[in-house]
Amino acid sequence: MRSFIVSSLFLLLLNCQPNTKVNYVQLAKELDSIMLEDQKFRLELSSFSFQNSKDSIKWKVMLNTQNKIDSLNLLRIVEIIKEVGGYPGKTLVGDSASKVAFFVLQHSTPEIQKKHLDLILKAAENFELNKSYAAMYHDRVLMHGGHPQIYGTQIRRETVFDSITGSWIERRYIWPVQDTTIIDSLRLWNGLKPLEAYMYEMGLDIE
């Protein structure tokens, strides 16, 4: 029995060892480059108002280009996850590069996001990824599945017809939350500011 336990512990430790064939210094640099590509047009795209973006050729070109970049980044991140045998987190690539896989995965399709949810949650549990990122990721998967979120990180945008002005306008709101009575405690535990402060920062009305 003792021999079995020792053997099991040895196999467990062996599985936790990083792939020695991977150059992690070079990998960290590559991840930093992927992060730059991931954010290449996002800030500018988000600066467009709903009215301006609908008919803007520049907006459409940037969006198409960013989508192509995201597809290529996703392919590489999936390869990296396979190469290192798990999430490329702080232990392997350092604090800065540890967030890159999270950003790329959360910018993918709902199906891909859901597929990698356990990977993200486990990375945060093992301190390989900041808890705040895992909280955002978890909320996004829940939202895309049509379920209430846990931490209140996800904001939705929709276009509604304003009967007063006779035009379509953009409305932004917090996706429904599972339990608002404990949300600030959950947010604090996961490195997030109070919900009211977050809403104020995002320019949302506080009901």
Side-chain angles (χ1 to χ4, degrees), residues 149 151-155 171-175 177 180 183-184 187 193-207:
Q149 58 181 323
Y151 308 98
T153 64
Q154 298 303 298
I155 298 173
R171 185 174 78 91
R172 298 166 71 241
Y173 63 95
I174 290 282
W175 183 257
V177 175
T180 57
I183 190 168
D184 279 341
R187 289 177 66 88
K193 62 185 63 177
L195 182 61
E196 186 172 319
Y198 174 64
M199 293 179 67
Y200 178 81
E201 184 181 86
M202 300 303 293
L204 300 174
D205 292 331
I206 302 172
E207 298 179 355

Side-chain angles (χ1 to χ4, degrees), residues 79-172:
E79 287 178 350
I80 290 172
I81 290 171
K82 291 179 180 178
E83 287 174 8
V84 304
Y87 187 86
K90 296 179 182 180
T91 301
L92 299 180
V93 296
D95 186 66
S96 177
S98 68
K99 62 187 178 184
V100 180
F102 152 76
F103 273 100
V104 172
L105 289 171
Q106 79 150 354
H107 291 149
S108 64
T109 65
E111 292 76 21
I112 296 294
Q113 292 170 18
K114 185 177 181 179
K115 180 180 178 180
H116 292 86
L117 176 60
D118 288 343
L119 179 77
I120 293 291
L121 295 180
K122 184 177 179 181
E125 182 181 338
N126 293 333
F127 305 102
E128 295 294 337
L129 177 69
N130 289 348
K131 287 184 177 181
S132 59
Y133 292 141
M136 287 186 277
Y137 193 97
H138 198 173
D139 274 352
R140 182 164 293 200
V141 171
L142 288 170
M143 179 183 69
H144 285 315
H147 307 294
Q149 58 181 323
I150 299 173
Y151 308 98
T153 64
Q154 298 303 298
I155 298 173
R156 293 293 288 175
R157 298 183 180 188
E158 66 178 6
T159 55
V160 295
F161 185 74
D162 189 335
S163 58
I164 298 177
T165 62
S167 61
W168 291 91
I169 60 174
E170 182 184 71
R171 185 174 78 91
R172 298 166 71 241

Side-chain angles (χ1 to χ4, degrees), residues 41 45 58-68:
F41 296 110
L45 283 167
K58 181 181 179 181
W59 183 86
K60 292 176 181 177
V61 170
M62 285 195 300
L63 180 63
N64 289 335
T65 304
Q66 187 65 63
N67 286 339
K68 291 177 182 178

Side-chain angles (χ1 to χ4, degrees), residues 47-72:
S47 69
F48 277 78
S49 66
F50 167 71
Q51 291 83 356
N52 292 335
S53 64
K54 278 186 67 178
D55 302 313
S56 170
I57 295 176
K58 181 181 179 181
W59 183 86
K60 292 176 181 177
V61 170
M62 285 195 300
L63 180 63
N64 289 335
T65 304
Q66 187 65 63
N67 286 339
K68 291 177 182 178
I69 291 172
D70 290 348
S71 296
L72 292 174

